[in-house]
Amino acid sequence: MSKSPEAPIESLVPFATTLHVRDCCLCLHVQRAARTLARLFDEALRPVDLTNQQFSLLMSLNRPEPPPLGPVANLLGMDRTTLTAALKPLERRGLVVVTAGEKDRRSRLLAITPEGIALLARALPIWQRTHDAVDARLGDFEPARLRQALQAVS
């Protein structure tokens, strides 16, 4: 059995296809935008020693009753292992506490501490200014519609 000659690598995936994916791939554009926004918010929140992920995590715990780990992971689009790792530095800083559930000791409840609330209160105006600036940059693209579209795919 003879081996067929291999096609030149350029013809397997033409460069025009690369350009098409670059220009049209929603996943690529959302990832790039997410990284850009993450850097922007990380830089803005640096004076209060928080990352954008930590700010979002603390904000997700700002509720009347401590939530279980699972729903918080779901809200933040994380798996439970990633959330557990993200909680560790906040626990060490005394900003959150993780306790066993009362009904099911295997479940974990997440609570923001008074120190965490105080830091969140300091961070919130920074987040608001940064968020307003991002919305302004979007201009005619209607930020509310963009949020709706992103929620439709998440």
Side-chain angles (χ1 to χ4, degrees):
M1 189 180 234
S2 66
K3 198 173 185 183
S4 63
E6 291 187 30
I9 199 154
E10 302 85 34
S11 66
L12 295 175
V13 182
F15 185 61
T17 302
T18 301
L19 297 176
H20 173 74
V21 170
R22 178 200 66 192
D23 295 341
C24 297
C25 181
L26 185 58
C27 185
L28 171 65
H29 290 284
V30 170
Q31 287 175 335
R32 287 184 62 195
R35 288 182 189 112
T36 299
L37 288 171
R39 283 190 301 270
L40 180 70
F41 279 90
D42 282 347
E43 183 63 33
L45 292 166
R46 186 170 290 142
V48 292
D49 197 25
L50 284 177
T51 65
N52 76 87
Q53 181 186 53
Q54 291 170 332
F55 174 84
S56 295
L57 178 47
L58 289 174
M59 189 59 75
S60 75
L61 301 181
N62 184 35
R63 41 176 102 184
E65 297 295 323
L69 191 131
V72 174
N74 187 51
L75 172 71
L76 297 173
M78 298 177 166
D79 60 54
R80 296 167 62 93
T81 302
T82 303
L83 176 56
T84 299
L87 285 164
K88 298 290 185 198
L90 298 176
E91 280 185 281
R92 284 192 295 272
R93 291 173 61 187
L95 303 174
V96 300
V97 292
V98 179
T99 58
E102 290 182 22
K103 293 179 184 168
D104 181 356
R105 304 296 293 166
R106 294 170 300 166
S107 71
R108 295 289 171 244
L109 300 177
L110 313 178
I112 189 168
T113 65
E115 294 82 2
I117 291 287
L119 184 58
L120 198 54
R122 287 181 40 223
L124 190 56
I126 297 167
W127 173 87
Q128 187 66 60
R129 281 192 305 272
T130 307
H131 196 272
D132 290 347
V134 169
D135 276 358
R137 283 175 56 186
L138 290 172
D140 293 338
F141 289 108
E142 299 182 45
R145 288 191 59 201
L146 175 58
R147 282 186 281 277
Q148 281 180 322
L150 291 171
Q151 288 169 354
V153 296
S154 62

